[in-house]
Amino acid sequence: QKEVEQNSGPLSVPEGAIASLNCTYSDRVSQSFFWYRQYSGKSPELIMSIYSNGDKEDGRFTAQLNKASQYVSLLIRDSQPSDSATYLCAVNVNDMRFGAGTRLTVKP
Amino acid sequence: EAQVTQNPRYLITVTGKKLTVTCSQNMNHEYMSWYRQDPGLGLRQIYYSMNVEVTDKGDVPEGYKVSRKEKRNFPLILESPSPNQTSLYFCASREATNEKLFFGSGTQLSVL
């Protein structure tokens, strides 16, 4: 089992909809969780971090963490075409471990 | 401007011809790391360094070497590249006590 798993997608949503990206991880001792956004041909950039169970909101982005279920998600409200990118889930387990990423396309 | 600089951006080479990809950061970060990114596999760590003269293997170190003689530089060396090392490579750095990674712009390597 991979340490960090994501649905590879692609995920396609219409403009203005909510995009939901999911991630599961295997190591129960993980304490730090991150979402990186990577535009095509560019490097990853950190958009959200979460450390405690529950929700963390930052503008149109909400990260959700459930340690009991070993599950972390990212919700993007009012999705815009500029949100079209690959989203990488990362978990700090003896250093950062990345999922394969989910490609999101927001259609105008 | 705070940044991680990788060079070259694109590189095409042939099997067995030694190459070096350079990485430099201007943020005085203690930690630096190299990743390769392949479709469907995500980012996999090759080597990392916690500080000068301290390096350690990541998940996929075979066929690679690194050195950390200065705090700002962390070159990736392929002594004898093979086609299975064709990939997109990223260098990253962070502070010792902060988990946020700063990535370089990437190096697309093709080994023929």
Side-chain angles (χ1 to χ4, degrees), chain B residues 28-29 54:
Chain B
N28 201 36
H29 286 170
V54 180

Side-chain angles (χ1 to χ4, degrees), chain A residues 32-104:
Chain A
S32 310
F33 307 87
F34 307 86
W35 284 98
Y36 283 78
R37 179 177 61 200
Q38 185 177 22
Y39 291 114
S40 181
K42 302 295 184 182
S43 57
E45 58 175 332
L46 182 66
I47 56 171
M48 290 287 285
S49 58
I50 187 166
Y51 303 94
S52 304
N53 278 329
D55 295 358
K56 178 182 178 182
E57 187 174 317
D58 183 0
R60 296 186 295 110
F61 297 94
T62 299
Q64 300 175 316
L65 176 60
N66 184 326
K67 291 186 179 180
S69 300
Q70 296 176 240
Y71 176 91
V72 58
S73 65
L74 179 70
L75 301 178
I76 306 174
R77 291 183 301 281
D78 187 24
S79 295
Q80 301 297 309
S82 59
D83 294 325
S84 298
T86 296
Y87 290 81
L88 303 172
C89 174
V91 177
N92 197 346
V93 181
N94 293 324
D95 219 338
M96 204 67 68
R97 297 286 185 262
F98 288 86
T102 299
R103 186 191 302 178
L104 171 67

